[in-house]
Amino acid sequence: MAIPPQELVALLIAVSFAAGLNVYATVATLGLLAHTHWLALPPSLQLLGNWWIIGAAAALFAVEFFADKVPAFDLVWNALHTFIRVPVAALLAYQAASGLSPLEQAAAAAIGGTIALAAHGGKTAVRAAITPSPEPLSNIALSSVEDIGAVGLTWLATAHPYVAGGIALAGVVVAVLLIGLIWKAIKSLFRGAERVFAQ
């Protein structure tokens, strides 16, 4: 089924948020949906339906599936992926908007990258808060929820783009609030440590 133009914005919002959580799962899911003709991607994104792209994204998703569940290492992994998730989300949005004017394409890329950055930032902030926990189960559970969320939101965006877009926008708000709260908590923790060491 083709994507009506009025649904493209909602789909881009949802897919950008999903890419901020797990870009490899998002690309693999989009590719599989396109390859099975569930989703008619814009001509500029047809390449995602290629088996080589699907296979590479799936392989990288498998690597991330394990790497993202190792406490402490997941923070390094996520920090490095700031330079992958955000640009890929921006590129997907840019390419999906290829039928628009160059200015609108640039705006789509900026919005896609910003939404992915919010999702990625919220994810990283929560990870930073959970990583000090002595047991690994909370880390594994959180990572699994993120993986399922990325795949589920990408699929939902193709079936119910407005619902998925609404969920993604709510997720952006929650992510921004989480980043702010966790940042304040970390600053408060460091201030407390400084007072202890000053005595």
Side-chain angles (χ1 to χ4, degrees), residues 62-196:
V63 172
E64 178 156 324
F65 182 83
F66 294 104
D68 205 34
K69 291 171 177 60
V70 179
F73 179 72
D74 69 316
L75 290 177
V76 175
W77 180 267
N78 278 303
L80 292 174
H81 274 75
T82 304
F83 305 102
I84 298 172
R85 292 178 186 141
V86 176
V88 170
L91 180 61
L92 287 173
Y94 182 82
Q95 290 297 102
S98 61
L100 304 176
S101 71
L103 187 60
E104 290 169 326
Q105 259 191 300
I111 291 167
T114 301
I115 290 170
L117 181 61
H120 171 72
K123 167 181 176 160
T124 306
V126 172
R127 287 305 183 84
I130 285 179
T131 293
S133 171
E135 46 79 31
L137 293 180
S138 56
N139 221 43
I140 292 169
L142 182 62
S143 177
S144 299
V145 167
E146 292 161 0
D147 295 341
I148 292 166
V151 173
L153 192 60
T154 303
W155 171 82
L156 187 63
T158 65
H160 305 285
Y162 297 123
V163 174
I167 291 170
L169 286 176
V172 168
V173 172
V174 170
V176 170
L177 290 173
L178 283 173
I179 292 168
L181 288 172
I182 291 170
W183 179 249
K184 283 180 186 173
I186 290 171
K187 279 174 33 180
S188 173
L189 184 69
F190 279 115
R191 274 194 229 104
E194 283 174 9
R195 282 196 292 271
V196 168

Side-chain angles (χ1 to χ4, degrees), residues 14-89:
V15 168
S16 297
F17 191 86
L21 295 177
N22 188 319
V23 69
Y24 306 125
T26 302
V27 170
T29 303
L30 281 175
L32 284 170
L33 289 170
H35 194 83
T36 56
H37 306 293
W38 177 270
L39 171 69
L41 290 172
S44 53
L45 288 175
Q46 290 291 329
L47 188 63
L48 295 181
N50 182 289
W51 274 121
W52 286 104
I53 300 295
I54 295 168
L60 289 167
F61 172 48
V63 172
E64 178 156 324
F65 182 83
F66 294 104
D68 205 34
K69 291 171 177 60
V70 179
F73 179 72
D74 69 316
L75 290 177
V76 175
W77 180 267
N78 278 303
L80 292 174
H81 274 75
T82 304
F83 305 102
I84 298 172
R85 292 178 186 141
V86 176
V88 170

